[in-house]
Amino acid sequence: MDTAMTSAYGPWGIVAGGSDGVGAAFAHEMAARGLNVVLVARRVAVLEAFAEELRAKHGVEVRAVTLDLSAPGAVAELASVTSDIEIGLFVYNAGGDDFSTPFLDKDLDTHLRLIHRNCDSVLEAAYRFGGPMVARGRGGMVIVTSGAAWVGGATLATYGATKAFDLVLAEALWAEWRSRGVDVLGLVLGKTDTPSMRRVFDAKGEPYGDAADPDDVAREALDHLADGPTWIFGSAEPTGGSPFGAMPRRDAVLAMSRASSASTSHADDAATAPGTDQSD
Ligand SMILES: NC(=O)c1ccc[n+]([C@@H]2O[C@H](COP(=O)([O-])OP(=O)(O)OC[C@H]3O[C@@H](n4cnc5c(N)ncnc54)[C@H](OP(=O)(O)O)[C@@H]3O)[C@@H](O)[C@H]2O)c1
């Protein structure tokens, strides 16, 4: 057992969006390091099966909580059903967008639900779970964001805007809580091989191409939890700035838009723009 992990961030961690992909990899890595884990997702069968797998493999306690994070009240309910345990680490992972389309081609409610899951619920989780960590003087929070956060791009309007919100929120909380014993990491991902990513590429009949391994992502993020505010997975300079550097914003937006329309299949393809050093 990794006693450093349990004493800094134990005894329980939560993974919001923790039944497959990057979230499942986080849960495995946290359990392997001795944390008990609360998993949150919508599909009951997938969630329960994964919870059982974690218990069997790592011998830790696992709670499976079925919630839709795009619905109002979900994070309050999560706080209520975990009020009897101490949460020392919160990973807010759920956040992908399966449909990268022009802004007006999506109905308004779909945009608003994405914003609720990727912004309102992230903020509420930081408030409800970060508050007790700050009061204890101990804890950690990982907010998973995307290369789509760096700059606006066609077909990425709402997704990129929510991911920019997540990036800035994580950085600001890092600045406030770094002297209070709580580590915050804004984790920037490029294309990563998850069921969500594969569903999108399969639907378009496009090859997956190079994609990061979720296990590598989770391991590296937990190893660098205290190296915030920002960790850019796959970058030669993971603590460095935007890959667009000093490029005029107009040029950066056009570059991001070219990247997103070259592969219309997945929002996060657009994280690769000329001059980036990310994996996608
Ligand atoms: N994969 C990539 O290429 C890529 C690239 C850049 C950034 N990212 C970021 O990495 C994170 C993880 O991405 P991912 O590809 O693993 O897919 P994801 O769809 O963001 O996450 C999948 C997990 O989240 C759960 N989930 C999704 N929506 C939920 C909701 N409304 N309420 C509760 N749980 C929900 C899923 O279970 P249920 O479906 O059962 O709810 C599953 O456990 C996201 O924040 C994404 O923006 C991913």
Side-chain angles (χ1 to χ4, degrees):
M1 181 187 295
D2 180 342
T3 50
M5 173 65 68
T6 50
S7 60
Y9 309 112
W12 284 84
I14 292 183
V15 185
S19 63
D20 70 21
V22 174
F26 264 106
H28 266 301
E29 196 60 32
M30 287 156 62
R33 298 181 191 205
L35 295 186
N36 301 313
V37 186
V38 179
L39 305 171
V40 181
R42 295 164 299 177
R43 290 164 299 162
V44 181
V46 176
L47 182 61
E48 294 288 357
F50 181 60
E52 198 42 53
E53 181 187 329
L54 268 192
R55 287 183 199 104
K57 184 163 183 195
H58 302 289
V60 297
E61 287 186 64
V62 180
R63 285 189 188 179
V65 181
T66 309
L67 284 174
D68 182 352
L69 294 160
S70 65
V75 178
E77 192 176 335
L78 179 61
S80 166
V81 300
T82 56
S83 60
D84 59 320
I85 52 180
E86 185 178 315
I87 306 297
L89 178 61
F90 197 112
V91 177
Y92 200 106
N93 169 71
D97 181 12
D98 285 356
F99 305 104
S100 179
T101 64
F103 182 66
L104 293 175
D105 289 356
K106 259 185 209 168
D107 62 79
L108 181 58
D109 190 52
T110 303
H111 285 296
L112 294 175
R113 289 177 65 80
L114 185 72
I115 291 171
H116 193 87
R117 186 195 59 184
N118 286 9
C119 300
D120 298 49
S121 289
V122 181
L123 184 146
E124 191 173 340
Y127 196 90
R128 289 186 183 276
F129 292 92
M133 290 179 201
V134 170
R136 269 181 234 123
R138 193 176 79 90
M141 185 156 294
V142 178
I143 298 178
V144 182
T145 178
S146 160
W150 295 129
V151 68
T155 76
L156 295 172
T158 306
Y159 177 70
T162 65
K163 291 289 151 180
F165 177 95
D166 293 338
L167 180 64
V168 172
L169 179 70
E171 291 177 341
L173 295 180
W174 173 87
E176 290 192 15
W177 295 350
R178 60 196 286 257
S179 59
R180 310 292 300 274
V182 178
D183 297 322
V184 182
L185 191 70
L187 176 62
V188 182
L189 300 187
K191 190 163 73 178
T192 307
D193 190 358
T194 65
S196 169
M197 185 217 85
R198 286 183 175 227
R199 277 195 298 274
V200 174
F201 278 76
D202 288 345
K204 296 281 182 183
E206 290 183 12
Y208 304 144
D210 288 341
D213 181 335
D215 294 336
D216 294 339
V217 169
R219 197 176 314 110
E220 189 172 300
L222 292 179
D223 284 347
H224 293 279
L225 195 36
D227 297 328
T230 315
W231 191 265
I232 309 166
F233 184 86
S235 168
E237 292 180 50
T239 56
S242 159
F244 291 94
M247 190 186 280
R249 291 213 52 102
R250 183 180 189 279
D251 294 347
V253 170
L254 292 174
M256 179 66 98
S257 300
R258 275 195 300 277
S260 61
S261 49
S263 170
T264 54
S265 56
H266 197 266
D268 295 295
D269 280 346
T272 305
T276 70
D277 54 6
Q278 288 185 249
S279 57
D280 61 342

